[in-house]
């Protein structure tokens, strides 16, 4: 089992920045990659970014490219999401998730991730 705990959400003005953190515990040796997803009000949970645990290869949704940066600290079993230039369409609950499979093809889908955190709320004021 892998446990994930997110933090760092909050209220920020449009154009501002937030840094989300996610700390993994338990069988972290099983993690191949970590992802961030978000779920806005009345919307489905959507992919934001992903990073492989060993190589640090990153992937981004088009909505995140150029504004968000995913990174990891293996020593701390942590993954981060630096969000800059936040827009009114960015709010929602942000979840981190762990994928234990190697070379997942459908990594932008929620079914690709076996473990999920409880989420952290991001609110953007205009």
């Amino acid at each position: 089992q892998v446990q994930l705990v997110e933090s760092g959400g909050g209220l920020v003005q449009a154009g501002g920045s937030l840094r989300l953190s996610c700390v993994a515990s338990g069988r972290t040796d099983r993690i191949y990659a970590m992802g961030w997803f978000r779920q806005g009000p009345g919307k489905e949970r959507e992919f934001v970014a992903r990073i492989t645990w060993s190589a640090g290869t990153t992937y981004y949704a088009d909505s995140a490219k150029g504004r968000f940066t995913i990174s990891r600290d293996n020593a701390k079993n942590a993954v981060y999401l630096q969000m800059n230039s936040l827009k009114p369409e960015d709010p929602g609950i942000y979840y981190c998730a762990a994928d234990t499979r190697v070379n997942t093809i459908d990594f932008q889908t929620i079914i690709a991730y076996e473990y999920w955190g409880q989420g952290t709320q991001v609110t953007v004021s205009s």
Side-chain angles (χ1 to χ4, degrees):
Q1 290 285 350
V2 175
Q3 294 79 41
L4 303 172
V5 179
E6 304 98 330
S7 61
L11 172 64
V12 63
Q13 285 190 329
S17 299
L18 276 177
R19 187 189 192 218
L20 306 183
S21 300
C22 174
V23 176
S25 61
R27 289 294 307 274
T28 58
D29 59 300
R30 298 186 59 204
I31 298 175
Y32 175 76
M34 297 283 290
W36 283 99
F37 285 71
R38 68 184 181 190
Q39 188 164 15
K43 297 182 179 180
E44 294 185 351
R45 196 171 299 187
E46 63 177 2
F47 171 77
V48 175
R50 171 184 171 95
I51 188 165
T52 58
W53 209 236
S54 179
T57 306
T58 58
Y59 306 86
Y60 295 93
D62 288 342
S63 59
K65 289 178 182 177
R67 299 190 299 127
F68 295 1
T69 301
I70 189 171
S71 61
R72 90 268 191 244
D73 184 332
N74 296 70
K76 296 181 179 180
N77 289 325
V79 63
Y80 308 100
L81 186 68
Q82 177 67 43
M83 304 187 295
N84 299 328
S85 303
L86 282 162
K87 300 179 179 180
E89 57 264 36
D90 290 323
I93 301 174
Y94 281 68
Y95 299 90
C96 73
D99 178 6
T100 63
R101 299 178 301 170
V102 177
N103 295 326
T104 304
I105 296 176
D106 55 350
F107 61 79
Q108 298 193 48
T109 65
I110 61 174
I111 61 173
Y113 299 82
E114 295 94 328
Y115 303 99
W116 293 82
Q118 82 290 349
T120 185
Q121 179 74 49
V122 171
T123 305
V124 179
S125 63
S126 56

